[in-house]
Amino acid sequence: MATSHEHDELLVQEDQFYHEYWGDGFHEHHHGDKYQSNFITHYLFSQDHKMIAKQFLITGMFWGIIGGLMSLVFRLQLGFPEENMAWLKPILGKWITVNDGIGSLDPDFYYALVTMHGTILVFFVLTAGLSGTFSNLLIPLQLGARDMASPLLNMLSYWFFFLAGAIMFASLFLNTGPFAGGWTAYPPLSAVPEAMSGSKAGMTLWAVSLVFFVVSVLLGGINYITTVLNLRTKGMSLWRMPLTIWAFFVTAILGLLSFPVLVSAILLVVFDRSLGTSFFLNEIYIGGQAMEQVGGSPILYQHLFWFLGHPEVYIIILPAMGLVSEVLSVNSRKPIFGYQAMVLSILAIAFLSFIVWAHHMFMAGVNPFISNIFVIFTLIIAVPSAVKVFNWIATLYGGNIRFTSAMLFAIGFVSMFISGGLTGIFLGNSAIDIPMHDTYFVVAHFHIVMGVAAFFGMFAGIYHWFPKMYGRFMNDTLGKVHFWGTFVGAYMVFWPMHYMGMAGVPRRYYDFTTFDFSSYFVDTNKFITIAAIITFGFQLIFVVNFFYSIFFGKKMTDKNPWKSTTLDWTTPIKGIHGNWPHAIPEVHRWAYDYGKDGKDFIPQTEPMTEEEKAEAHH
Amino acid sequence: MTILIGILILIILGVIIVQVGKINELAAKLRGEKKARRDNNESNARLMLVFMVLFLVFCVGSAWYYKNMMLGYGPHESASLHGVELDYLFNVTLFFTGIVFVATQILLFWFAFRYREQEGRKALYMPHDNKLELIWTGIPAIVMSILVVYGLAAWNDTMADVDTKELVTGFVNAETIGKDSTYIEVEATGMQFLWVLRHPGRDGKLGERDYTLINSANPVGQVWTDPKNIDDFHMDELILPVGQKVRVRITSRDVLHNFDLPHFRVKMDAVPGFPTYFVFTPTLTTEQYRENLSRYPEWNVPADPEDPTGPKRWETFEYELACAELCGKSHYSMKKIVKIVSPEEYNEWLASMEHTSQYLREVRNKVGDPFLGRKLLIEKNIADYEKAKEEAEKTAPEPAPAPEGEPANPGDETDTEETEVEVESEEGSTETNESSDSQ
Ligand code: HEM
Ligand SMILES: [Cu+2]
Ligand SMILES: [Cu+2]
């Protein structure tokens, strides 16, 4: 343990380090000058992690609204196939086909909407919007770093994301429509332009967009990992990091290891499309012609895709889990239960997520023997997932719970994760997956466990850290209305889909009445569509609340409004470049000393007492 | 204009939302922030409980409402041997996960309510408890192991392909029905946007194919020099004998499709260039399935609501073949009817279908017929069948036995085809039956 003299010296050294590191900018700031005065460098090409976080968040929200609206349009078609949709013609133009005076969605465009919805929500909203926002915001703040290891790469990460989004957006206006072969983009459908209208230029733009997106993820990920490994403040050992940071850290590693494989898969598809290779093509007769490309395997693509695809679902959910762990603990005024087990289960889930990918391919025509192995690993993943759930529940036990908007969403997250995780156990068992695969049961599973749960984690994070971002609070009443409406609504939308799946109704169907076995659900589909519209309406409350509160929300007067132990709440109310006006605080304990020794909370910066030290040495 | 109105409405909505939020904040100020916060906390805690109760009621209620969709009991029963096993496994899993679901949801909301903030109460400092954690790691691990063991047993049972010693057959009989050592094979080829179903004919063997030979007269690219192709015919409906093990050869000629028989719990991707297989045994004929359905009130309503005196829903029930892998614009409409019939009906149907062989229809005696001028067993068989049928018609007033009320082929076409084939086979019948089609 450093004496106080040594300690001062250390701080000085640190300041010198940052002086060299940041150049004069940081130094100037020290003397009270404005570091960044230029509008462009402040709001657009900012290298400040807090600003970049906001950029990710607001871009993510933009995409969330677009993706959500798309789902409403195709839900209208599913729920009310007989209703006239001609009123959408001013917006959708030729994609509304009018028959006998009744306008309906063109099937090609229906599939385009479904595909865009999936791609946008999975990649742009729940990957970039969630992990991008909170990794950027919290990693430096909670670790005690002035900024990310490389602010420049960080800025580039956002702008590559922006570029990816711009390209995807442009594809919406193509004459042949955006890509329509599902977010998984299985070839040959995606690799043969003749196979579908959306597989023409739409697929090309989809591919280019996603490649840029992966560049963004990788730049961000390298940065997050480096920052976590190298820029932790004094005393912040790995085992003292809040679970948020653990989650972002492991998420970044997952992304770094899996996203490149997606790029390779996409590039090979592009080669097949335009260079005449046949990585994924074999013995195809299409458009009145036998294609010359033979010898490839469409199944190979699925292996590559799901090698990313499965880790990707954890890339989405781990940050949400991290945020929820933090919010639950702070608002229960209790340490997160089983911190070590939580970290270990994040690590276990991350590791296992690389060896379960073929559970998406039980029915794809792979050797059934191989599936045995994937069943075993898949069901093993349920164990650490269960441990996390039990630990969250145990965190509530004996707490003194404050129901902030963030807390409500965190509790909602746990409920959703239970409901959706349990259906994973059905699907992970290949035998049960035979009837369930590619039915609405799967749609219910992943929307609840990933879609809704991750959104809840994100909302929890936004409500909780909004004051950190903007120095103001979001309106609490509206937040709670938003929560209850969304919570009830989301179950209304997705719960009935389980039954449709049990009846065998396949997913990605434009119309359910062709088949007798799926036509039973006319009323169900109406119900779901109405519930979806209402649930979407509740999101508008959030959007209004968000933007209103940025400018007019209740001002934050206390640096640490939630009475948190973590470092993010030791920075000034008005965020400054470099985060702390003076030396970076030192950390002396883990992040979860809530309710210890009769104290409501003990900040991480508070040195340990002699007794505590003695105990720690035990 | 509409867009403008839409925007206006949105703005008004936004203003209302903001005002609601503001009013509540103001009211809180009036009541005193502290008290308002406490009241708010209380009511949200109570809402947690209310939600818990309503949610569980909703779960049970919806399950009751959709009880007909439940697997393994009620009308949605499996019509295949392995399907029963899968349904059972589903329900075992439902049992375990159901317990966990109810327990964890109750604990979650109950704790949230029970430990709501109360003045003067201190939160419990409980960072971990190794014993508890061991228990709740151990129990899921054990349950998962049980599920894995049962699951993999069912999986490997279901997915086992036929082995090379097993015999493939065309007609079925007491020797083949219910025997694991014999199977029939049919082929399903997905294309945008329909299923081409190919029956191997009486030899039970599917002829070779080559995708470069595909054209409108040869939709799956059968190789006509392969004698096994001579008696292969295409089906408008998938017709299979009850109790007979069947191996479906599944493939595609363009993009991915998925051969999906929901009533039989059968599903397998169709991959261009890589045939896949699914082996299963139908256990209920269409008639039997309908009869089972007739026991449920939901199925005793008119099939067509406009026509209350028409047939009931159960009377019009058919098994269906669907596509379950996104394959393009009309993915949702790749429908074929599946009929499970008695072995006798099946044999009769098979005999009656021989003259529809794709080879006979499209290649026989035309330019490029590799067997031009040679006598074919199939032609004799068809002639024999016709003769027998005629005799039966003479002796009995009723026509030859056919699946009740359903001619195997739509009337008109059948008649003309039959006469065509008869002419040919009359020449052949005088010769000895030396043929390339005998296996
Ligand atoms: C308890 C652990 C889980 C298990 C055992 C599990 C198992 C499965 C299986 C076997 C499938 C494939 C179903 C099929 O296509 O037939 C699947 C689909 C999916 N799961 Fe899970 N899952 C689990 C948790 C999760 C989590 C935590 C997420 C995301 C946060 C997730 C996201 C998804 C998604 C997105 C799909 C569908 C992908 C698609 O086909 O479009 N799952 N899950
Ligand atoms: Cu997965
Ligand atoms: Cu399809």
Side-chain angles (χ1 to χ4, degrees), chain A residues 291 338 399 403 480 499 509 516, chain B residues 40-41 62 121 127 211 320 323:
Chain A
M291 290 177 69
F403 292 102
K480 283 168 182 168
Y499 304 106
Y509 265 31
D516 221 32
Chain B
N40 188 303
N41 219 57
S62 63
R121 219 210 21 246
Y211 85 108
E320 286 162 319
C323 175

Side-chain angles (χ1 to χ4, degrees), chain A residues 100-407:
Chain A
D100 304 331
I102 294 193
S104 47
L105 211 56
D106 184 80
D108 262 324
F109 196 64
Y110 170 86
Y111 286 117
L113 283 179
V114 173
T115 303
M116 285 298 117
H117 166 78
T119 308
I120 288 170
L121 266 297
V122 167
F123 292 114
F124 293 173
V125 183
L126 294 179
T127 304
L130 175 53
S131 162
T133 302
F134 289 101
S135 299
N136 266 308
L137 181 71
L138 294 181
I139 289 178
L141 284 177
Q142 290 196 329
L143 286 182
R146 299 270 181 216
D147 203 314
M148 283 291 174
S150 168
L152 175 69
L153 289 190
N154 211 19
M155 176 186 86
L156 288 177
S157 163
Y158 172 76
W159 285 104
F160 272 105
F161 167 46
F162 187 87
L163 183 62
I167 293 170
M168 194 67 80
F169 196 75
S171 85
L172 299 179
F173 302 98
L174 288 171
N175 197 30
T176 48
F179 180 52
W183 79 283
T184 49
Y186 282 0
L189 193 56
S190 60
V192 181
E194 295 83 23
M196 203 177 186
S197 166
S199 297
K200 298 190 166 73
M203 174 59 194
T204 308
L205 290 193
W206 186 91
V208 174
S209 166
L210 276 200
V211 170
F212 282 125
F213 182 78
V214 174
V215 172
S216 157
V217 172
L218 297 185
L219 291 176
I222 294 170
N223 230 336
Y224 307 151
I225 294 170
T226 317
T227 311
V228 170
L229 289 179
N230 294 321
L231 295 188
R232 300 193 308 276
T233 184
K234 185 155 182 294
M236 180 67 86
S237 65
L238 288 178
W239 285 100
R240 281 181 179 168
M241 297 196 306
L243 286 175
T244 35
I245 306 299
W246 271 109
F248 303 145
F249 177 51
V250 174
T251 299
I253 296 174
L254 285 184
L256 216 54
L257 294 178
S258 64
F259 266 108
V261 182
L262 175 68
V263 176
S264 67
I266 292 177
L267 284 183
L268 297 184
V269 170
V270 171
F271 292 165
D272 276 6
R273 289 168 61 81
S274 43
L275 301 183
T277 58
S278 56
F279 291 101
F280 307 131
L281 303 179
N282 196 12
E283 303 191 3
I284 291 172
Y285 180 92
I286 202 160
Q289 261 179 335
M291 290 177 69
E292 275 169 29
Q293 286 148 285
V294 290
S297 163
I299 296 177
L300 170 63
Y301 173 89
Q302 298 176 28
H303 282 296
L304 295 175
F305 181 87
W306 288 113
F307 189 84
L308 156 89
H310 189 82
E312 166 66 10
V313 305
Y314 283 99
I315 288 171
I316 287 174
I317 208 69
L318 285 179
M321 288 176 163
L323 296 169
V324 162
S325 302
E326 183 71 12
V327 170
L328 279 179
S329 169
V330 172
N331 290 298
S332 302
R333 313 310 298 153
K334 277 189 68 205
I336 189 77
F337 187 86
Y339 171 79
Q340 207 162 9
M342 291 301 246
V343 174
L344 291 178
S345 48
I346 290 178
L347 294 173
I349 287 174
F351 173 73
L352 288 168
S353 75
F354 278 108
I355 47 176
V356 298
W357 76 87
H359 67 208
H360 297 274
M361 302 164 60
F362 289 145
M363 299 290 108
V366 295
N367 185 333
F369 175 75
I370 307 279
S371 299
N372 286 302
I373 295 148
F374 285 95
V375 168
I376 293 172
F377 287 134
T378 299
L379 291 202
I380 291 178
I381 262 202
V383 176
S385 308
V387 168
K388 293 196 79 87
V389 168
F390 295 139
N391 284 2
W392 285 319
I393 295 176
T395 302
L396 297 181
Y397 173 81
N400 206 20
I401 298 171
R402 303 184 309 217
F403 292 102
T404 61
S405 303
M407 182 62 169

Side-chain angles (χ1 to χ4, degrees), chain A residues 86 181 252 410 416 418 497:
Chain A
M416 287 290 169
I418 295 169
M497 292 185 184

Side-chain angles (χ1 to χ4, degrees), chain A residues 111 508-509, chain B residues 191 193 195 255-258 322-328 330-334:
Chain A
Y111 286 117
R508 294 171 172 163
Y509 265 31
Chain B
M191 60 180 275
F193 292 95
W195 288 106
V255 299
L256 298 178
H257 300 271
N258 184 302
C323 175
E325 181 69 62
L326 179 54
C327 57
S330 299
H331 162 54
Y332 60 94
S333 61
M334 287 174 58

